[in-house]
């Protein structure tokens, strides 16, 4: 019903007649989803002036100049009126695209390594704002931020302590993994935010890790609650024991994770009759190596195993399970099988 789409702009702008209002109400009742979609599009153009156009009056002024017109004024009025509304519809679409495009550009700052954004905070840390860089070059680094909150950096991680600005405290995880132990922000302490290249974490007071790896950010919560934002319209809350993976503007929430992901901080792996297949998957990710477990291999190691060179750890696990370890290429490729 094309008439609906010519009346909707007037209705949303409160310039429609009583008859047009009745028409819209009937259509809204029959098409609630379509109405919501049109209202959402209109809301994007809020602040853009709507111009009421009297096509009949305009035609009356123009008619004397068209003495050779072959059609009546009445029929021409309809044609001109319809053409006008179509043009207004096209203009509205252009405005929506422009507004939406600007909005997307604003949020795309999340993917810009030098720019930080947190919805509703009125705060942006740009490339011109530099903080104190923390680097764990060859070993795990345990230290404190400027505000006293504790932080651990996994080997190779780079974090920038931006400090307090405009009533908020911000930290940037530029590379690798960091564990945060943040005091409660329920008191007068400044709100605490952790930024990566594609996400923002709002913290109330908790223990959690942030991993910035290529185009992916991983958040794991050990205690408390955090809010994870990929944009101001795409955000979720994570509680203790939950994790989220942020990639290309999408957030995937996962319920559980192995406590061994913190082995780099605790210094040990804990296994309780854990399948050697699951252990191999964990260690492949942790050490960035390839571990093949031959089909039919059985073994469920238990115990505490200190973090060490992968060759030594795999050898200890194999001995504890009565399995055979083959080193195909040191620090790169291994095979585990039954004896």
């Amino acid at each position: 019903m094309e008439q609906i789409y010519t009346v909707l702009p007037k209705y949303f702008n409160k310039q429609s007649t009583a008859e047009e209002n009745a028409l819209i109400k009937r259509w809204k009742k029959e098409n609630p989803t379509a109405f919501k979609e049109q209202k959402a599009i209109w809301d994007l153009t809020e602040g853009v002036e709507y111009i009421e156009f009297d096509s009949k009056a305009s035609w009356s002024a123009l008619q004397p100049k068209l003495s050779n017109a072959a059609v009546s004024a009445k029929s021409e009025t309809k044609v001109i009126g319809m053409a006008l509304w179509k043009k207004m519809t096209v203009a509205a679409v252009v405005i929506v695209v422009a507004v939406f495009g600007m909005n997307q550009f604003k949020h795309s700052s999340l993917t810009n390594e030098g720019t930080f954004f947190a919805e509703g905070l009125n705060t942006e840390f740009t490339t011109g704002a530099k903080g104190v860089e923390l680097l764990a070059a060859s070993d795990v680094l345990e230290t404190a931020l400027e505000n006293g909150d504790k932080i651990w950096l996994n080997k190779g991680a780079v974090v920038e302590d931006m400090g307090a600005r405009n009533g908020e405290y911000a930290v940037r995880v530029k590379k690798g993994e960091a564990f945060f132990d943040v005091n409660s922000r329920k008191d007068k302490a400044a709100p605490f935010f952790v930024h990566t290249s594609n996400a923002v974490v709002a913290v109330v007071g908790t223990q959690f890790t942030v991993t910035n790896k290529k185009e992916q950010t991983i958040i794991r919560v050990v205690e408390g609650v955090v809010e994870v934002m990929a944009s101001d319209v795409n955000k979720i809350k994570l509680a203790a024991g939950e994790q989220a993976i942020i990639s290309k503007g999408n957030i995937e929430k996962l319920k559980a994770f192995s406590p061994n992901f913190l082995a780099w901080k605790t210094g040990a792996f804990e296994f309780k009759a854990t399948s050697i297949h699951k252990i191999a998957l964990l260690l492949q990710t942790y050490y960035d190596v390839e571990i093949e477990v031959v089909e039919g291999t059985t073994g469920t190691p238990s115990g505490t195993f200190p973090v060490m060179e992968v060759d030594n750890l795999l050898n200890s696990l194999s001995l504890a399970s009565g399995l055979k370890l083959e080193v195909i290429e040191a620090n790169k490729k291994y095979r585990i099988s039954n004896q």
Side-chain angles (χ1 to χ4, degrees), residues 110-136:
L110 285 166
T111 62
N112 182 330
E113 186 174 344
T115 306
F116 307 97
F117 167 79
E119 180 265 340
L121 304 177
N122 195 27
T123 298
E124 288 190 1
F125 294 93
T126 65
T127 51
K130 298 296 182 182
V132 178
E133 188 170 273
L134 307 174
L135 170 64

Side-chain angles (χ1 to χ4, degrees), residues 173-306:
V173 178
K174 299 170 70 174
K175 176 185 176 183
E177 184 174 12
F179 178 91
F180 294 85
D181 188 352
V182 179
N183 292 324
S184 173
R185 320 312 286 184
K186 293 181 180 179
D187 52 20
K188 295 181 180 179
F192 191 100
F193 299 92
V194 178
H195 299 262
T196 69
S197 57
N198 60 1
V200 178
V201 183
V203 184
V204 175
T206 180
Q207 293 183 348
F208 62 100
T209 67
V210 176
T211 304
N212 189 2
K213 187 177 182 181
K214 296 181 180 179
E215 296 181 355
Q216 191 178 77
T217 294
I218 303 173
I219 315 294
R220 298 184 177 100
V221 180
V222 178
E223 293 181 6
V225 178
V226 303
E227 184 175 51
V228 179
M229 297 173 276
S231 73
D232 63 348
V233 294
N234 190 7
K235 52 190 174 183
I236 62 170
K237 286 187 177 180
L238 294 180
E242 296 180 331
Q243 64 178 323
I245 300 174
I246 300 92
S247 179
K248 298 180 180 179
N250 298 314
I251 303 178
E252 180 183 4
K253 184 176 180 179
L254 304 174
K255 281 293 183 182
F257 53 83
S258 168
N260 282 314
F261 83 93
L262 268 180
W264 63 269
K265 176 180 176 291
T266 62
F269 293 99
E270 294 280 349
F271 299 119
K272 296 180 180 179
T274 307
S275 164
I276 192 64
H277 296 269
K278 290 184 177 180
I279 293 175
L281 289 173
L282 170 69
L283 298 183
Q284 281 188 132
T285 302
Y286 188 90
Y287 287 102
D288 194 20
V289 297
E290 182 181 341
I291 304 173
E292 176 192 357
V293 179
V294 177
E295 187 176 354
T297 301
T298 58
T300 53
S302 293
T304 300
F305 296 83

